[in-house]
Amino acid sequence: MTVLDHKPETSFGNNVFERLESEVRSYSRGWPAVFESASGSWLRSEDGKDYLDFFAGAGALNYGHNNPVLKSALVDYIMSNGITHGLDMETVAKRNLLETFERVILKPRGLDYKVQFPGPTGANTVESALKLARKVTGRESIINFTNAFHGMTLGALSVTGNSMKRAGAGIPLVHATPMPFDNYFDGVTEDFQWFSRVLDDSGSGLNRPAAVIVETVQGEGGVNVARAEWLRALADLCADREILLIVDDVQMGCGRTGAFFSFEEAGIVPDIVTLSKSIGGYGLPLALTLFKRELDVWSPGEHNGTFRGNNPAFVTATAALEEYWTDDALERGTLRKGERIRQTFMNLTDMFDGVSTRGRGLVQGLVFDDPSDAQKVCGLAFERGLLAETSGPSDEVVKLLPPLTISDDDLEFGLNILAEATAQVRA
């Protein structure tokens, strides 16, 4: 009997998600509701219950759900029969995005980056960054960091730290070497002592790498925040040894930590930057790979993809840049709201043993010594109408990623839910 002849015994229920969707689904297990509509910082399930969103599409909805400014631009574009699928052809929508990105983001920051459209996802931009670094330098090895997360495709997985996700590759993940992220040794050992030593020691066995890839804040890794001085030291180390520096700003870019790029606070200029998630503004798939002009050694078509020309996403990305990044109002609001979360979390750490906090801007984490407590807090929060996820190697962190546009009242409402849930779990 062949595999095709075999018909497994299956118990079919009335839930089409359980009946047909793969067991790989995850968020739906922690948030067992069928969502029907969304606006701003809120989602509504089909049974009419409202949920405040402190998740924001894993950082893909920095400007909230169905943002009216972006929706209006999108609807107008669709109704005018604008190009939807354009591969890498030149279109009006792409030109508008490039011109706006240069005027609003690059020039004010003195950045002379070329822009590549590598495909629609964060993994796409990471893959293109790794390939480009290897092509430019002629070297194979990449340095990554403990607890890093860069995506689920093979190249991105090779520089990801999570053992469960890495195991899913099914093959050896090679040509990447992990180094300790900032504060990995709790401040006891200088983070760069080992890294710089093995780079300069001809007997270390470490091949000189093509690039270093780093997140300024490790979101999936547990809201681990790199200090500005650590990032500057890393940038100097790379420059001194002719190693390219890649900053993965897929989740932390587009204002999540305050400034548009998360590395701005450190005053560094990466060789390559990866952007996705909220660069499209509306939740539409879009990714950009930015790199210094002299690194543009691609041959035409050498890295491509069918859906890299998502023109509706170009439209909403352009509208988001015009609406939120021509002044510093959003940045100031993000920092202020982030401080409000930090104050709430600091109060909780004072009240309960085994609880700590860390974060930057509007990515904040409440860390539990007992990982099960973090999962319980998120479960209770969901029952009370709040979406928040866990992160970290043991899911020990309650990670907050609310929309940057969230109102003060909604933020306060959600923080009260989290405080009550924490008190109930730790009672």
Side-chain angles (χ1 to χ4, degrees), residues 119-376:
T121 74
N124 289 130
T125 180
V126 168
E127 293 284 354
S128 67
L130 299 179
K131 285 174 64 175
L132 180 61
R134 286 169 169 142
K135 180 177 174 65
V136 167
T137 64
R139 307 177 206 138
E140 296 178 348
S141 177
I142 304 290
I143 299 296
N144 60 305
F145 290 95
T146 51
N147 292 315
F149 179 80
H150 296 288
M152 299 298 284
T153 49
L154 290 181
L157 267 182
S158 73
V159 291
T160 287
N162 186 286
S163 59
M164 181 273 287
K165 292 180 171 63
R166 289 175 62 87
I171 61 171
L173 297 171
V174 296
H175 305 309
T177 303
M179 291 291 173
F181 191 73
D182 191 15
N183 205 38
Y184 185 74
F185 297 110
D186 297 323
V188 175
T189 303
E190 174 56 46
D191 298 283
F192 286 113
Q193 183 177 0
W194 168 255
F195 190 10
S196 59
R197 176 73 178 271
V198 296
L199 281 173
D200 297 334
D201 182 0
S202 60
S204 69
L206 178 71
N207 294 331
R208 183 166 296 274
V212 171
I213 186 167
V214 66
E215 304 156 275
T216 64
V217 181
Q218 295 180 327
E220 298 303 311
V223 194
N224 305 311
V225 182
R227 294 166 296 152
E229 55 266 34
W230 186 87
L231 291 168
R232 285 193 290 269
L234 178 62
D236 290 343
L237 181 148
C238 290
D240 290 345
R241 292 162 177 81
E242 297 183 338
I243 301 167
L244 297 179
L245 177 61
I246 304 169
V247 169
D248 183 340
D249 239 1
V250 167
Q251 188 171 78
M252 297 304 150
C254 303
R256 176 54 56 181
T257 63
F260 184 85
F261 295 110
S262 69
F263 56 80
E264 291 183 55
E265 180 190 54
I268 63 175
V269 179
D271 298 293
I272 304 174
V273 181
T274 63
L275 288 175
S276 187
K277 290 191 182 287
S278 278
I279 189 60
Y282 199 70
L284 297 177
L286 179 64
L288 307 179
T289 309
L290 314 178
F291 41 83
K292 291 181 178 178
R293 189 167 295 272
E294 63 270 21
L295 302 181
D296 193 8
V297 297
W298 290 119
S299 299
E302 189 174 7
H303 185 89
N304 57 28
T306 303
F307 292 100
R308 65 196 186 278
N310 185 0
N311 281 254
F314 298 164
V315 171
T316 53
T318 302
L321 295 175
E322 293 281 12
E323 179 71 13
Y324 294 106
W325 293 103
T326 55
D327 59 33
D328 65 352
L330 183 70
E331 178 178 348
R332 288 186 288 104
T334 295
L335 295 175
R336 179 179 56 80
K337 294 168 189 175
E339 179 60 23
R340 180 69 193 95
I341 298 175
R342 193 188 74 84
Q343 290 172 356
T344 298
F345 282 3
M346 287 297 294
N347 290 339
L348 292 174
T349 65
D350 290 340
M351 294 169 60
F352 304 106
D353 293 333
V355 182
S356 59
T357 184
R358 54 183 180 249
R360 269 183 64 195
L362 277 176
V363 51
Q364 297 286 334
L366 191 63
V367 188
F368 292 85
D369 287 353
D370 183 347
S372 67
D373 284 349
Q375 297 169 44
K376 291 173 185 175

